[in-house]
């Protein structure tokens, strides 16, 4: 009979880290590398769960000292009020400095034009990249995860952007071992993704383990919503519902938090972290597939936006 | 494998918490069924979800294809879809009740050797696929050589397409034997051969009814149970200092902590340590594991170490046990894989990043280039071009505490960077190219092959 090495009963040594500990340690390592190698890093902070986990990792990485970075929020003007309130509370609690790049200001000044479909997500790129240039940020942390989307699966942890903030997937630097290369010329910057190797489920498990507070819209609640393109959108002054769309009250929660105009709610009765985790583990839809309109625009929507400088 | 109606059972919260992480890489030639295997692992572990499959089906229809083209699931870039080939490493994620997996999905073309090196550098296991009809081919030997060079601890030989050779044991045994002999000679420490059919699903997730002569684990079972860390007792402890934490607040006026991710081994409170390259010594007074004081911390944990004495330490220094300090040197001999499009030449002035330290360096000599096909050495090639593997002698501007890559993948590795534009030029591994083969074991303690 042909056989192979017999399986060991003991699968892991006592020194093996749990997957959450391994991901946490790697994330902290990435924050500290940036702190050691860059002059003006900034953390993109939207008040969404990924950026909340990023902030939590950063707080741990430098404790008991303060985080040596400021925060940057790209405000579309269509954000959920609960999320803005959360953002401001966190900033005050940790004594952080918050930069805001405002899509509304760009529209009011005539520098950006509202899209016919009303979504403001793609409009974030210009205020974001101009803020990076004007503040001379040289490292910009984003909460992007490679499991979100197939173009993001190709993304490096340290991702060089040129002076126009453009991503060129064919000219990426190979990333070897944990030796991240942060070299960049003046005017260029590096997008840094400490959660690259995390999945949606990892993020939720970590939030549960670390008992991190989240904006309440992540948990099931009654909300006035209407249906558009198969998604439940929140009614509001941003532009919905239209005449042929009807508002109804439903028990929903959000899996991602972005612009109100393109982020859909999902039907859910999950009011606790454990219930949310169980719901995601059983879901047959990705978080983007379930709730994001912007990625459905074309097969390469994410790649195209990333090339332009989107995070 | 395109079925969407049979989701695996959802995992409970308890099941999801106590898992470990395995990083592994795939390697394979163009038509050996790698994407089918990856697709099946992702699909059967519920990592391909309905909306992703729908998107693939939609895109396939737009191209006029009858059936969903599963390569569209993994080819994330416009250029890859246009050309129908995989250009670059992609990282994929899936989970079972027992473990989480990070898969470095690397293209198999020979011109993408650098991508396999990239994927293998962080992998604890490499999967080398062969087509059962073709057996061990040139490309298989290249993949085995790279796994050996990168010192990937576990190698799986997946003999695929067993359905096309009538599931014959003799076919599998001959391929497994030839590969094991070759890879052992290169010093690959552990080889597991598994006969599979990725397309039919034999021995991938479920045991095959077609190969009852096979008594080993299925592919997924092996991934779930292979040990993920080495015995720390034999490791040299190493902590590259990333950042010095000094709050300078009323609450912590004198706190001075050295933050870093332990690259190898373990550190204990009370241990005598030496800081390199200065050679100053002190004792560890406390270890902070991200907010929790601990007595001992070990490899890949990110920690902050406090010392009894106030000595000068900064980013780039290496903290080591005083009884186990590496020598420092300005002359490094290494095996490298050149990863940039521009060539590496003798006299090239570069930056060398080792651990958390980046120093100026010069390429003094390129004694040989390795031909992966037959492992022969081409002497004095003069330069290395993209995807070349060769021996290099480097002189650094400052002394560095380097370990042999054979002893420590983290403190024995480095990258070379172009100081002009920041390009990552070369991946380097200090010391001998290939590990010595395992000493021949006696029959009594042989837990490996049994023909």
């Amino acid at each position: 009979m042909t056989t192979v090495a017999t399986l060991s009963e003991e699968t892991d040594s006592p020194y093996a880290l749990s997957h959450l500990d391994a991901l946490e340690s790697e994330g902290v390592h990435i924050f500290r590398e940036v702190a050691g190698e860059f002059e003006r890093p900034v953390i993109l902070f939207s008040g969404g769960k990924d950026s909340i986990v990023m902030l939590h990792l950063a707080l741990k990485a430098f404790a008991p000292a303060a985080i040596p970075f400021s925060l940057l929020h790209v405000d579309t003007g269509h954000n959920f009020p609960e999320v803005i309130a959360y953002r401001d509370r966190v900033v005050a609690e940790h004594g952080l400095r918050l930069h805001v790049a405002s899509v509304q200001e760009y529209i009011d000044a005539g520098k950006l034009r509202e899209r016919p479909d009303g979504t403001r997500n793609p409009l974030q790129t210009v205020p974001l990249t101009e803020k990076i240039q004007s503040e001379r940020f040289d490292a910009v942390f984003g909460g992007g995860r490679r499991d979100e989307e197939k173009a993001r699966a190709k993304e490096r942890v340290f991702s060089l952007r040129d002076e126009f903030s453009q991503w060129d997937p064919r000219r990426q630097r190979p990333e070897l071992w944990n030796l991240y290369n942060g070299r960049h010329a003046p005017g260029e910057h590096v997008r840094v993704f400490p959660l690259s190797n995390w999945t949606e489920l990892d993020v939720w498990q970590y939030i549960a383990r670390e008992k991190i507070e989240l904006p309440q819209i992540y948990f099931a609640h009654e909300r006035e919503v209407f249906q558009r393109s198969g998604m439940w959108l929140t009614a509001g002054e941003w532009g919905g519902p239209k005449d042929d769309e009807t508002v109804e009250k439903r028990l929903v929660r959000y899996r991602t938090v972005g612009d109100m105009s393109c982020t859909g709610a999902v039907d859910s009765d999950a009011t606790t972290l454990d219930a949310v985790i169980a719901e995601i583990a059983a879901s047959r839809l990705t978080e983007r597939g379930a709730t994001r309109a912007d990625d459905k625009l074309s097969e390469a929507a994410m790649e195209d936006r990333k090339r332009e400088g989107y995070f | 494998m395109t079925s969407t109606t049979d989701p695996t059972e959802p995992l409970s919260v308890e099941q999801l918490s106590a898992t470990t992480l395995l990083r592994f890489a795939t390697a394979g030639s163009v038509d050996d069924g790698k994407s089918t295997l990856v697709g099946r692992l992702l699909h059967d572990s519920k990592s391909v979800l309905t909306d992703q499959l729908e998107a693939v089906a939609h895109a396939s229809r737009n191209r006029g294809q009858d059936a969903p083209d599963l390569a569209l699931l993994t080819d994330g870039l416009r250029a890859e879809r246009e050309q129908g080939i995989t250009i670059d490493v992609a990282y994929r994620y899936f989970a079972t009740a027992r473990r989480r997996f990070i898969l470095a999905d690397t293209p198999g073309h020979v011109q993408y050797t650098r991508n396999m090196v990239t994927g293998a550098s962080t992998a604890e296991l490499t999967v080398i696929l062969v087509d059962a009809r073709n057996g061990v081919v040139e490309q298989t030997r290249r993949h085995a050589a790279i796994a050996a060079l990168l010192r990937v601890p576990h190698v799986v030989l997946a003999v695929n397409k067993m359905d096309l050779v009538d599931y014959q044991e003799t076919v599998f045994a001959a391929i497994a034997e030839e590969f094991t002999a070759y890879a052992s000679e290169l010093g690959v420490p552990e080889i597991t051969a598994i006969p599979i059919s990725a397309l039919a699903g034999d021995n991938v997730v479920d045991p095959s009814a077609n190969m009852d002569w096979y008594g080993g684990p299925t592919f997924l079972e092996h991934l779930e149970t292979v040990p993920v860390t080495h015995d720390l007792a034999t490791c040299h402890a190493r902590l590259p200092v990333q950042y010095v934490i000094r709050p300078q607040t009323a609450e912590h006026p004198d706190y001075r902590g050295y933050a870093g991710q332990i690259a190898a081994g373990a550190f204990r409170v009370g241990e005598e340590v030496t800081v390199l390259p200065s050679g100053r010594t002190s004792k560890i007074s406390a270890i902070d594991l991200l907010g929790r004081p601990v007595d001992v911390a070990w490899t890949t944990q990110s920690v902050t170490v406090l010392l009894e004495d106030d000595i000068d330490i900064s980013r780039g220094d290496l903290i080591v046990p005083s009884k186990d300090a590496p020598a420092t040197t300005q002359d490094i001999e290494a095996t490298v894989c050149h990863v940039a499009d521009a060539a590496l030449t003798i006299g090239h002035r570069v930056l060398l990043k080792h651990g958390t330290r980046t120093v100026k360096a010069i390429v003094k000599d390129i004694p040989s280039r390795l031909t992966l096909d037959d492992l022969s050495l081409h002497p004095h090639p003069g330069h290395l071009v993209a995807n070349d593997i060769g021996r290099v002698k480097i002189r650094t501007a400052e002394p560095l505490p380097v370990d042999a890559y054979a002893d420590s993948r983290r403190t024995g590795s480095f990258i070379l960077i172009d100081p002009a534009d920041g390009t990552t030029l070369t991946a380097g591994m200090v010391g001998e190219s290939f590990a010595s083969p395992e000493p021949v074991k006696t029959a009594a303690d042989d837990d490996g092959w049994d023909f």
Side-chain angles (χ1 to χ4, degrees), chain A residues 279-306:
Chain A
E279 185 182 287
I280 292 166
S283 172
R284 296 296 302 153
L285 292 175
T286 66
E287 69 180 280
R288 293 205 155 257
T291 66
R292 294 300 276 265
D294 40 333
D295 296 330
K296 295 179 177 170
L297 297 176
S298 86
E299 198 182 343
M302 177 66 88
E303 180 181 345
D304 293 344
R305 276 182 292 139
K306 281 166 63 68

Side-chain angles (χ1 to χ4, degrees), chain B residues 66-287:
Chain B
D66 296 336
D69 179 359
L70 288 173
L72 295 177
L73 213 51
T74 52
D75 286 342
L77 300 176
R78 195 185 279 281
E80 292 178 320
R81 289 190 294 274
E82 282 164 5
Q83 296 172 41
I85 57 163
T86 311
I87 294 168
D88 203 344
V89 186
Y91 293 88
R92 312 198 181 284
Y93 305 84
F94 66 97
T96 66
R98 298 164 93 168
R99 199 169 255 180
R100 291 304 183 94
F101 300 96
I102 300 178
L103 161 57
D105 189 7
T106 67
H109 293 66
V110 62
Q111 66 266 40
Y112 300 125
T113 300
R114 58 186 168 191
N115 289 328
M116 189 184 161
V117 168
T118 302
S121 72
T122 52
E124 285 161 289
L125 181 146
T126 289
V127 183
I128 297 174
L129 252 88
V130 301
D131 184 328
R133 295 170 301 176
N134 305 330
V136 174
V137 295
E138 216 171 85
Q139 190 74 332
T140 318
R141 283 190 282 270
R142 281 191 202 112
H143 293 322
I146 293 170
L149 272 176
L150 272 289
R151 256 95 175 173
V152 181
H154 308 279
V155 169
V156 171
L157 175 76
V159 181
N160 192 23
K161 305 195 184 183
M162 286 300 294
D163 52 321
L164 300 181
V165 295
D166 299 328
Y167 298 107
Q168 287 179 76
E169 181 182 2
T170 48
V171 174
F172 168 72
I175 295 170
E177 192 170 25
E178 183 184 351
F179 180 84
T180 303
Y182 181 79
S184 301
E185 203 176 312
L186 296 173
V188 172
E190 192 193 287
I191 301 149
T192 303
I194 305 176
I196 64 167
S197 166
L199 193 67
D202 295 284
N203 289 337
V204 178
V205 174
D206 301 312
S208 169
N210 298 311
M211 291 180 275
D212 53 7
W213 45 264
Y214 173 73
T218 65
F219 183 67
L220 186 63
E221 196 181 348
H222 182 66
L223 292 180
E224 284 181 317
T225 52
V226 71
V228 291
T229 49
H230 297 293
D231 181 9
L232 294 182
T234 61
C235 281
H236 309 285
R238 304 286 185 254
L239 175 65
V241 176
Q242 279 189 286
Y243 195 78
V244 180
I245 293 176
R246 287 195 307 135
Q248 296 176 293
T249 55
E251 201 186 338
H252 302 282
D254 302 317
Y255 185 100
R256 193 180 169 85
Y258 306 102
Q261 188 176 29
I262 297 175
F267 287 91
R268 281 171 184 78
V269 172
E271 191 167 14
E272 291 216 19
V273 291
T274 298
V275 180
L276 297 172
S278 73
R280 292 186 185 90
T281 59
S282 183
K283 250 185 199 173
I284 295 177
S285 59
I287 302 175

Side-chain angles (χ1 to χ4, degrees), chain B residues 258-336:
Chain B
Y258 306 102
Q261 188 176 29
I262 297 175
F267 287 91
R268 281 171 184 78
V269 172
E271 191 167 14
E272 291 216 19
V273 291
T274 298
V275 180
L276 297 172
S278 73
R280 292 186 185 90
T281 59
S282 183
K283 250 185 199 173
I284 295 177
S285 59
I287 302 175
D288 179 6
L289 179 63
L290 303 182
R292 186 162 54 92
V294 291
D295 292 332
V296 58
W298 54 85
T299 179
T300 77
Q301 287 183 330
S302 280
V303 295
T304 307
V305 163
L306 290 93
L307 301 182
E308 283 183 2
D309 309 284
D310 211 0
I311 55 179
D312 179 18
I313 303 178
S314 56
R315 174 173 169 82
D317 288 345
L318 186 71
I319 297 177
V320 300
S322 298
K323 59 180 168 26
D324 180 23
T328 58
T329 179
Q330 285 180 261
D331 292 290
I332 294 172
E333 188 162 354
T335 300
V336 300

Side-chain angles (χ1 to χ4, degrees), chain A residues 242-257:
Chain A
K242 291 180 188 154
D243 292 343
D244 57 341
E245 295 165 333
T246 32
V247 172
E248 56 184 288
K249 202 166 227 183
R250 295 182 76 90
L251 190 61
V252 296
R253 67 173 202 89
Y254 284 86
R255 276 175 80 174
T256 68
V257 166

